Amino acid sequence: MGCMNNMARNVVIKSNELEISKNIKKILIDKFLSVGFNTSEEIRDNTELVISIGGDGSFLRNVRDLNFPDIPFFCVNTGHLGFFAEILPTEKEIDIFIDAYLNSTYEINELYLLEVDIKGKDEVNHTYAINELVVRGNQSRTAHMGLHVNGNYMETFSGDGLIMSTSTGSTAYNYSAGGSIVDNRLNIIQITPISPISTNAFRSFTSSIILPGQDSEIAIKPEYKSEHTIITVVDGQEHKFNDVYEINVRNANKTVKLLRLSDYEFWDRVYMKFLKTYDYKTNEARI
Ligand code: NAP
Ligand code: MN
């Protein structure tokens, strides 16, 4: 490889294991090579874009595997829902995307992240979340945990668990658990209870709480009854911990950048992915 090749603009292309995803990856590699780019699996000094082919889960995993780089991502949906995706896996849509990319007719949508510290006896686990952090009990037991905001005691939650969601994650698990959909231009942290107990024995908030992303420090202090184990789930990745005494959640000092084509609109996306079954413009049933 000569010097010229090293100087070429680079795009990282990641695909999941589906045949259709691998085919789209080949097509994308050919098209980017033909306009003078090179492509790779890993991020290089001259990487300017990461393309994720798959579903939302693939995007979440790719961002984590690549260590939350400051480079924009673009998602091609071959998954089920594809809330993060901008195009479907067709050559026509790929050409529209490449044209838009070369002509810079796109926008960058910055996703606010959570920063999470899970503090155990011997170590602190530090991580970021795009959608959410879930804290729950081990083996379906009732979880009990103190919730503190900016040093103020709020409640001792009892129930299945708590979801700490970003605005981006508001349409995911948070929504299934009865939380609100939040426009992803807002930097907030939404705390949503999963099956909260509200009786004379245990009292928990039964609705979501929404905090400003800036200047909110959340502390969760597990209260152990028998075994000293909790489960944390960050963007779908589950971990089991023993003797965690505190979990801190705050707005991260960084974002994940998503490349959006010029017709992107958050609420149109919500409608298309959640409610639309019939296209009143073309009189066609949804495919
Ligand atoms: P998964 O079980 O396949 O995800 C469940 C669904 O959530 C999939 O349809 C996924 O889209 C969709 N999704 C992910 N992020 C979303 C977002 N920001 N807005 C709207 N929908 C979204 O697991 P996964 O694909 O690895 O995704 C992990 C996420 O699943 C977690 O972050 C959590 O939010 C969610 N989850 C939801 C529930 C629930 O609703 N009861 C339970 C556990 C986890 P794709 O089909 O495109 O992958
Ligand atoms: Mn999935």
Side-chain angles (χ1 to χ4, degrees):
M1 256 189 248
C3 175
M4 286 302 287
N5 206 23
N6 291 336
M7 298 297 289
R9 299 166 71 179
N10 174 269
V11 176
V12 166
I13 306 179
K14 295 287 205 189
S15 97
N16 65 10
E17 286 306 307
L18 294 177
E19 273 316 305
I20 181 169
S21 304
K22 291 184 193 162
N23 285 337
I24 291 300
K25 181 175 175 179
K26 281 195 203 111
I27 293 172
L28 276 166
I29 290 174
D30 285 347
K31 288 197 189 268
F32 271 102
L33 287 180
S34 74
V35 291
F37 283 66
N38 61 35
T39 65
S40 61
E41 282 289 315
E42 294 305 322
I43 288 179
R44 299 177 178 170
D45 286 346
N46 53 349
T47 301
E48 53 180 56
L49 178 69
V50 180
I51 301 177
S52 174
I53 309 165
D56 294 330
S58 307
F59 165 69
L60 297 170
R61 271 186 297 279
N62 286 330
V63 176
R64 193 163 299 278
D65 290 351
L66 295 171
N67 209 7
F68 295 85
D70 200 35
I71 299 163
F73 282 75
F74 183 78
C75 300
V76 182
N77 182 24
T78 59
H80 288 115
L81 188 69
F83 199 79
F84 293 112
E86 284 296 282
I87 62 168
L88 290 169
T90 67
E91 267 207 78
K92 188 178 156 226
E93 298 217 359
I94 288 173
D95 287 339
I96 290 173
F97 153 60
I98 292 184
D99 267 2
Y101 191 65
L102 295 178
N103 294 315
S104 302
T105 50
Y106 57 79
E107 278 153 37
I108 297 294
N109 179 197
E110 293 202 43
L111 308 182
Y112 300 105
L113 307 177
L114 301 179
E115 182 178 39
V116 178
D117 285 316
I118 302 165
K119 296 177 176 169
K121 246 191 336 214
D122 304 316
E123 53 168 16
V124 178
N125 273 276
H126 178 266
T127 189
Y128 296 105
I130 300 169
N131 274 345
E132 77 282 284
L133 161 75
V134 184
V135 183
R136 51 189 320 147
N138 190 30
Q139 293 183 324
S140 308
R141 292 211 177 82
T142 304
H144 304 276
M145 44 198 156
L147 173 65
H148 304 249
V149 176
N150 298 334
N152 302 296
Y153 171 78
M154 297 279 293
E155 67 170 339
T156 300
F157 170 85
S158 296
D160 280 2
L162 286 173
I163 303 171
M164 268 60 61
S165 169
T166 60
S167 49
T168 296
S170 71
T171 45
Y173 195 2
N174 169 73
Y175 182 58
S176 306
S180 292
I181 297 179
V182 179
D183 192 313
N184 74 9
R185 284 166 289 200
L186 295 175
N187 182 13
I188 56 96
I189 304 173
Q190 180 167 190
I191 307 177
T192 296
I194 311 169
S195 302
I197 303 180
S198 195
T199 65
N200 286 340
F202 302 112
R203 294 217 170 270
S204 319
F205 284 113
T206 57
S207 79
S208 299
I209 301 165
I210 298 185
L211 308 169
Q214 299 292 338
D215 306 319
S216 292
E217 178 81 21
I218 299 164
I220 294 164
K221 300 182 184 177
E223 291 186 6
Y224 301 109
K225 303 283 174 193
S226 47
E227 52 166 351
H228 289 205
T229 311
I230 55 146
I231 303 287
T232 65
V233 196
V234 176
D235 295 341
Q237 310 291 308
E238 179 175 310
H239 289 280
K240 188 184 278 200
F241 290 101
N242 290 321
D243 294 309
V244 164
Y245 65 89
E246 186 167 321
I247 297 173
N248 295 130
V249 184
R250 66 189 80 83
N251 182 60
N253 240 331
K254 62 198 267 158
T255 58
V256 165
K257 298 187 171 77
L258 265 182
L259 196 150
R260 301 292 197 184
L261 299 179
S262 49
D263 60 353
Y264 172 78
E265 222 285 313
F266 177 81
W267 292 103
D268 177 58
R269 182 62 56 91
V270 171
Y271 169 70
M272 297 291 281
K273 295 291 178 183
F274 284 46
L275 292 183
K276 184 185 165 205
T277 51
Y278 184 77
D279 191 333
Y280 57 86
K281 289 179 194 142
T282 60
N283 288 338
E284 275 169 8
R286 181 182 174 189
I287 342 154

